[in-house]
Amino acid sequence: MNIILFGPPGAGKGTQAEIISKDLQIPTVSTGAIIRAAVKEGTPMGLSAKSYMDAGALVPDEVVIGIIKERLAKDDCKNGFILDGFPRTVPQAIALDGMGVKIDVVVSLEISDEAIVERMGGRRVCKACGATFHTVYNPSKAGDKCDVCGGELLVRDDDKPEVVLNRLNTYHKETEPLKDYYSGKGILKSVKGQGSVEEITALMKAALGM
């Protein structure tokens, strides 16, 4: 089964992709991870991406699509894959179609902006060991200190409300139009992204017919 999973930043895509990947025994293809891997491996597209990254520029669509194409051609994708973080825009989705990649189902995790801001704003990361906590869902027993190593807990810049809202605005403007694109193809499934991990997984599996 070839799956695309998308939703706003902080919706829990990575967590759900990991669970579904294990159950279906197909790889999760995360754009960020495969760009880093392609750069490390020194593939032609990876070297091209590196030149943009070293210059502090965004990696252009044609390079990202080339890296995706390289990755999907590998043996472990023969029985299916989960695309996480790609496509982000309708032009990218059209380019994916142009590669001849057949997508069976597109799952959109639906969650309100308010819930995302609360979820990400409550995240705390240990400055010393990198352990992650949440003020509501997974608080440190040591309060504002890490209960793993005693280090100081910080709010990452990416989790600050103004940054989160800016990322959400970008998502609504650039990525949300994908819903109409894939709905028009009759392969879009919407899943409520609020609740426990287990509840969301159950809804995901139902949407995927598992």
Side-chain angles (χ1 to χ4, degrees):
M1 192 185 293
N2 297 345
I3 302 164
I4 290 173
L5 178 57
F6 75 94
K13 298 183 294 296
T15 301
Q16 294 301 326
E18 193 178 326
I19 294 166
I20 300 300
S21 167
K22 280 179 185 167
D23 285 356
L24 290 177
Q25 295 190 312
I26 57 175
T28 296
V29 178
S30 164
T31 315
I34 65 165
I35 288 175
R36 288 190 293 274
V39 168
K40 191 176 177 184
E41 289 168 20
T43 69
M45 283 295 172
L47 292 172
S48 181
K50 187 176 186 298
S51 67
Y52 288 98
M53 290 158 73
D54 287 349
L58 282 174
V59 180
D61 275 3
E62 60 268 24
V63 177
V64 175
I65 288 159
I67 288 172
I68 295 277
K69 194 171 185 176
E70 285 177 346
R71 179 66 186 88
L72 296 185
K74 292 191 175 179
D75 283 349
D76 64 341
C77 289
K78 279 182 179 171
N79 295 322
F81 52 80
I82 301 167
L83 276 177
D84 172 13
F86 184 88
R88 286 183 189 273
T89 63
V90 171
Q92 286 183 349
I94 293 167
L96 189 65
D97 288 344
M99 280 163 50
V101 176
K102 181 183 180 294
I103 299 298
D104 298 302
V105 61
V106 178
V107 179
S108 171
L109 274 177
E110 303 289 334
I111 181 167
S112 70
D113 286 3
E114 294 76 18
I116 291 284
V117 171
E118 181 195 337
R119 185 183 284 183
M120 295 180 79
R123 201 152 52 179
R124 300 289 182 270
V125 179
C126 175
K127 185 178 179 181
C129 75
T132 305
F133 301 91
H134 194 282
T135 54
V136 178
Y137 307 113
N138 178 34
S140 170
K141 298 178 185 69
D144 60 354
K145 300 287 182 189
C146 172
D147 62 17
V148 176
C149 76
E152 183 187 354
L153 296 183
L154 303 173
V155 179
R156 295 186 321 168
D157 285 345
D158 275 0
D159 293 335
K160 289 177 178 172
E162 62 274 20
V163 178
V164 174
L165 285 169
N166 192 36
R167 290 173 69 198
L168 285 168
N169 285 337
T170 301
Y171 170 79
H172 293 313
K173 184 178 163 190
E174 295 183 0
T175 306
E176 219 158 31
L178 286 169
K179 285 194 218 174
D180 288 338
Y181 182 79
Y182 286 116
S183 180
K185 292 176 172 287
I187 58 172
L188 180 73
K189 306 274 187 183
S190 293
V191 167
K192 185 182 166 198
Q194 282 172 265
S196 69
V197 170
E198 294 77 16
E199 286 167 343
I200 298 165
T201 300
L203 293 172
M204 286 275 298
K205 288 183 176 181
L208 293 169
M210 292 169 64

